[in-house]
Amino acid sequence: MKTLNDYMAISYRMEILEDKDEGGFVVSYPDLPGGITCGETVEKAVVNAADAKRAWMEAALEEGISMNQYCVYFLSRNDAIYSK
């Protein structure tokens, strides 16, 4: 069974957008639903993103969802969406 550190070592695509209305930057992980955070600078937003990723992984592990199960679910969901 993989540990939290094993999952944290996996690279996930990170999107960084400038928040023109509120100021600062918003960071999300498209492959981790709800994995989103922000920061006043790009650097702070990236640091906060690492914390958000860790919190997401911890919650998934607490719920007993393996990343392999999640990946299978996510891939099959996208396959259903794109096959229409």
Side-chain angles (χ1 to χ4, degrees):
M1 177 117 183
K2 290 187 179 182
T3 66
L4 176 62
N5 288 334
D6 293 329
Y7 291 119
M8 287 298 295
I10 297 170
S11 294
Y12 289 90
R13 184 171 55 98
M14 181 189 298
E15 291 183 352
I16 304 172
L17 299 172
E18 184 177 2
D19 186 340
K20 295 182 188 279
D21 296 329
E22 300 288 325
F25 297 86
V26 176
V27 180
S28 66
Y29 292 99
D31 295 333
L32 305 177
I36 188 168
T37 190
C38 61
E40 292 179 9
T41 64
V42 171
E43 293 81 9
K44 183 63 176 170
V46 169
V47 168
N48 292 344
D51 292 339
K53 179 182 173 184
R54 177 173 292 278
W56 195 99
M57 296 292 177
E58 287 172 343
L61 289 171
E62 284 177 16
E63 292 174 17
I65 301 170
S66 75
M67 289 301 114
N68 288 340
Q69 287 174 309
Y70 176 73
C71 288
V72 168
Y73 159 75
F74 189 73
L75 290 171
S76 64
R77 188 176 127 229
N78 280 342
D79 188 45
I81 291 169
Y82 292 115
S83 66
K84 292 182 179 179

